[in-house]
Amino acid sequence: MDATFCPIETLKGWKQGEVIDSVTETSVIGYTTSMFVVMNKGVWDRLSPELQKVFMDVSDEWVAKHGQAWDQADREGEAFVKELQREIVTLSPEEQQRWQAAVKPILEEYVAKTAEKNLPGQQFLTDLQGLIAKYSAEAGQ
Protein backbone atom coordinates (compact mmCIF):
# COMPACT_ATOMS: atom_id res chain seq x y z
CA MET A 1 0.00 0.00 0.00
CA ASP A 2 1.45 3.33 -1.03
CA ALA A 3 -0.95 5.51 0.93
CA THR A 4 -4.28 5.75 2.66
CA PHE A 5 -6.09 8.72 4.17
CA CYS A 6 -7.94 7.40 7.16
CA PRO A 7 -8.47 7.70 10.89
CA ILE A 8 -5.58 6.08 12.73
CA GLU A 9 -7.94 3.61 14.41
CA THR A 10 -8.39 1.82 11.08
CA LEU A 11 -4.73 0.89 11.14
CA LYS A 12 -5.57 -1.55 13.92
CA GLY A 13 -9.21 -2.38 13.30
CA TRP A 14 -8.74 -2.99 9.58
CA LYS A 15 -5.14 -4.22 10.04
CA GLN A 16 -3.82 -1.59 7.64
CA GLY A 17 -0.98 -0.94 10.08
CA GLU A 18 0.48 -4.30 9.11
CA VAL A 19 1.02 -3.22 5.49
CA ILE A 20 2.23 0.37 5.86
CA ASP A 21 5.66 1.78 6.59
CA SER A 22 4.70 5.11 8.12
CA VAL A 23 1.87 7.36 9.27
CA THR A 24 1.69 11.09 8.62
CA GLU A 25 -0.22 12.95 11.33
CA THR A 26 -2.70 15.16 9.45
CA SER A 27 -5.11 16.43 12.07
CA VAL A 28 -4.27 20.01 11.05
CA ILE A 29 -6.62 19.57 8.08
CA GLY A 30 -9.27 17.74 10.05
CA TYR A 31 -10.48 14.26 10.64
CA THR A 32 -11.50 12.06 7.75
CA THR A 33 -14.67 10.46 9.04
CA SER A 34 -18.09 12.00 9.46
CA MET A 35 -20.90 10.04 11.00
CA PHE A 36 -24.47 11.13 11.34
CA VAL A 37 -28.00 9.88 11.35
CA VAL A 38 -30.57 11.57 9.17
CA MET A 39 -34.33 11.56 8.98
CA ASN A 40 -36.64 12.66 6.21
CA LYS A 41 -37.61 16.25 7.02
CA GLY A 42 -41.30 15.54 6.32
CA VAL A 43 -41.26 12.67 8.81
CA TRP A 44 -39.43 14.87 11.34
CA ASP A 45 -42.00 17.63 10.91
CA ARG A 46 -44.81 15.18 11.65
CA LEU A 47 -43.30 14.23 15.03
CA SER A 48 -44.63 16.00 18.08
CA PRO A 49 -42.38 18.67 19.61
CA GLU A 50 -42.02 16.42 22.67
CA LEU A 51 -40.75 13.50 20.56
CA GLN A 52 -38.43 15.80 18.59
CA LYS A 53 -36.99 16.94 21.92
CA VAL A 54 -36.30 13.33 22.95
CA PHE A 55 -34.37 12.79 19.71
CA MET A 56 -32.39 15.99 20.19
CA ASP A 57 -31.63 15.33 23.87
CA VAL A 58 -30.41 11.79 23.20
CA SER A 59 -28.36 13.00 20.23
CA ASP A 60 -26.75 15.73 22.33
CA GLU A 61 -25.93 13.22 25.07
CA TRP A 62 -24.34 10.73 22.70
CA VAL A 63 -22.16 13.16 20.76
CA ALA A 64 -19.63 13.28 23.61
CA LYS A 65 -19.91 9.55 24.34
CA HIS A 66 -19.36 8.65 20.70
CA GLY A 67 -16.42 11.06 20.51
CA GLN A 68 -14.82 9.50 23.58
CA ALA A 69 -15.18 6.01 22.11
CA TRP A 70 -13.67 7.18 18.83
CA ASP A 71 -10.78 8.89 20.64
CA GLN A 72 -10.09 5.64 22.51
CA ALA A 73 -10.11 3.67 19.26
CA ASP A 74 -7.63 6.18 17.79
CA ARG A 75 -5.35 5.81 20.82
CA GLU A 76 -5.43 2.04 20.34
CA GLY A 77 -4.68 2.42 16.63
CA GLU A 78 -1.71 4.67 17.35
CA ALA A 79 -0.40 2.26 19.98
CA PHE A 80 -0.78 -0.58 17.47
CA VAL A 81 1.35 1.10 14.79
CA LYS A 82 3.93 2.02 17.41
CA GLU A 83 4.08 -1.62 18.51
CA LEU A 84 4.69 -2.51 14.87
CA GLN A 85 7.51 0.07 14.93
CA ARG A 86 6.05 2.11 12.09
CA GLU A 87 7.33 5.63 11.66
CA ILE A 88 4.94 8.44 12.67
CA VAL A 89 5.69 11.61 10.72
CA THR A 90 4.74 14.95 12.26
CA LEU A 91 4.44 17.79 9.77
CA SER A 92 6.49 20.91 10.39
CA PRO A 93 4.50 24.12 10.93
CA GLU A 94 5.41 25.22 7.40
CA GLU A 95 4.23 21.92 5.92
CA GLN A 96 1.02 22.11 7.96
CA GLN A 97 0.35 25.50 6.36
CA ARG A 98 0.99 24.02 2.90
CA TRP A 99 -1.52 21.21 3.58
CA GLN A 100 -4.09 23.70 4.84
CA ALA A 101 -3.61 25.80 1.69
CA ALA A 102 -4.03 22.69 -0.49
CA VAL A 103 -7.35 21.85 1.20
CA LYS A 104 -8.67 25.42 1.04
CA PRO A 105 -10.22 25.16 -2.48
CA ILE A 106 -12.19 22.09 -1.41
CA LEU A 107 -13.56 23.95 1.60
CA GLU A 108 -14.39 27.01 -0.51
CA GLU A 109 -16.27 24.80 -2.97
CA TYR A 110 -18.21 23.25 -0.07
CA VAL A 111 -19.19 26.69 1.24
CA ALA A 112 -20.26 27.83 -2.23
CA LYS A 113 -22.38 24.72 -2.85
CA THR A 114 -24.09 24.98 0.53
CA ALA A 115 -24.77 28.68 -0.01
CA GLU A 116 -26.49 27.82 -3.31
CA LYS A 117 -28.82 25.58 -1.32
CA ASN A 118 -29.42 28.14 1.45
CA LEU A 119 -27.55 25.95 3.93
CA PRO A 120 -25.24 27.33 6.66
CA GLY A 121 -22.06 25.78 5.25
CA GLN A 122 -19.83 28.73 6.17
CA GLN A 123 -21.07 28.72 9.76
CA PHE A 124 -20.63 24.95 9.99
CA LEU A 125 -17.08 25.20 8.60
CA THR A 126 -16.19 28.06 10.94
CA ASP A 127 -17.52 26.11 13.93
CA LEU A 128 -15.69 22.96 12.84
CA GLN A 129 -12.38 24.75 12.32
CA GLY A 130 -12.76 26.38 15.73
CA LEU A 131 -13.27 22.99 17.35
CA ILE A 132 -10.26 21.53 15.53
CA ALA A 133 -8.12 24.42 16.77
CA LYS A 134 -9.48 24.12 20.31
CA TYR A 135 -8.97 20.40 20.68
CA SER A 136 -5.63 20.42 18.88
CA ALA A 137 -4.41 23.05 21.35
CA GLU A 138 -5.70 20.99 24.28
CA ALA A 139 -3.95 17.90 22.92
CA GLY A 140 -0.73 19.87 22.45
CA GLN A 141 -0.63 19.44 18.68
Side-chain angles (χ1 to χ4, degrees), residues 30-87:
Y31 201 73
T32 62
T33 303
S34 297
M35 300 220 174
F36 47 89
V37 176
V38 296
M39 177 184 283
N40 177 286
K41 181 149 176 31
V43 172
W44 175 260
D45 290 341
R46 287 192 300 271
L47 297 176
S48 70
E50 296 80 17
L51 193 51
Q52 288 178 357
K53 183 177 181 335
V54 170
F55 273 96
M56 297 305 292
D57 290 348
V58 169
S59 293
D60 288 345
E61 177 185 345
W62 278 89
V63 166
K65 290 179 182 183
H66 187 86
Q68 290 166 350
W70 212 266
D71 287 348
Q72 180 59 37
D74 281 346
R75 285 190 291 275
E76 291 172 12
E78 183 176 0
F80 180 69
V81 294
K82 285 180 178 177
E83 287 172 18
L84 295 173
Q85 299 180 351
R86 303 303 191 242
E87 177 185 15

Side-chain angles (χ1 to χ4, degrees), residues 4 13 25 41 47 53 60 69 81-82 90 102 104-105 110 114-115 118 126 128 137:
T4 181
E25 201 291 306
K41 181 149 176 31
L47 297 176
K53 183 177 181 335
D60 288 345
V81 294
K82 285 180 178 177
T90 302
K104 190 174 181 179
Y110 163 78
T114 56
N118 265 349
T126 300
L128 181 63

Side-chain angles (χ1 to χ4, degrees), residues 4-6 22-27 87-91 95 99:
T4 181
F5 189 59
C6 62
S22 65
V23 173
T24 302
E25 201 291 306
T26 61
S27 64
E87 177 185 15
I88 298 181
V89 177
T90 302
L91 301 175
E95 191 65 15
W99 283 50

Side-chain angles (χ1 to χ4, degrees), residues 101-122:
V103 169
K104 190 174 181 179
I106 297 167
L107 302 177
E108 290 171 345
E109 179 183 355
Y110 163 78
V111 169
K113 284 184 176 183
T114 56
E116 289 171 8
K117 296 177 182 178
N118 265 349
L119 296 171
Q122 181 61 63

